[in-house]
Amino acid sequence: QRRYIMSKSDKTISENITEFENLVAWFDTADFSIEESIEKYKQIEKLAVTINKQLNQIKNDITVIKKAL
């Protein structure tokens, strides 16, 4: 079974989505600060790019499988 790993940290797409969701949820906490928000936003942007790449890879794999059927 193929694991959809695209990041240097070897995280699966599910792990990346969970991390993304946790970072977004941070903005709703009482710990919100402008200084930290800039860093969190940069992390969210990087994760979004990684997740998008992983989703495209999955889409390509599904297309290949469909053609094989």
Side-chain angles (χ1 to χ4, degrees):
Q1 184 180 32
R2 183 172 181 174
R3 294 178 70 207
Y4 294 93
I5 300 170
M6 299 282 297
S7 67
K8 292 179 183 176
S9 61
D10 291 330
K11 292 183 181 176
T12 65
I13 190 169
S14 295
E15 291 167 331
N16 282 327
I17 290 171
T18 298
E19 184 177 351
F20 182 92
E21 290 170 342
N22 290 337
L23 286 167
V24 170
W26 175 85
F27 284 90
D28 291 328
T29 67
D31 296 333
F32 183 89
S33 72
I34 297 299
E35 296 80 18
E36 264 189 287
S37 67
I38 294 168
E39 186 58 37
K40 300 276 186 190
Y41 183 80
K42 289 178 183 178
Q43 291 174 322
I44 289 170
E45 279 187 315
K46 288 179 185 177
L47 275 171
V49 169
T50 298
I51 291 166
N52 191 46
K53 287 179 183 177
Q54 289 173 311
L55 288 172
N56 283 333
Q57 182 61 52
I58 292 168
K59 181 180 175 184
N60 291 340
D61 290 349
I62 290 171
T63 300
V64 168
I65 291 168
K66 281 183 173 181
K67 288 180 181 179
L69 298 177

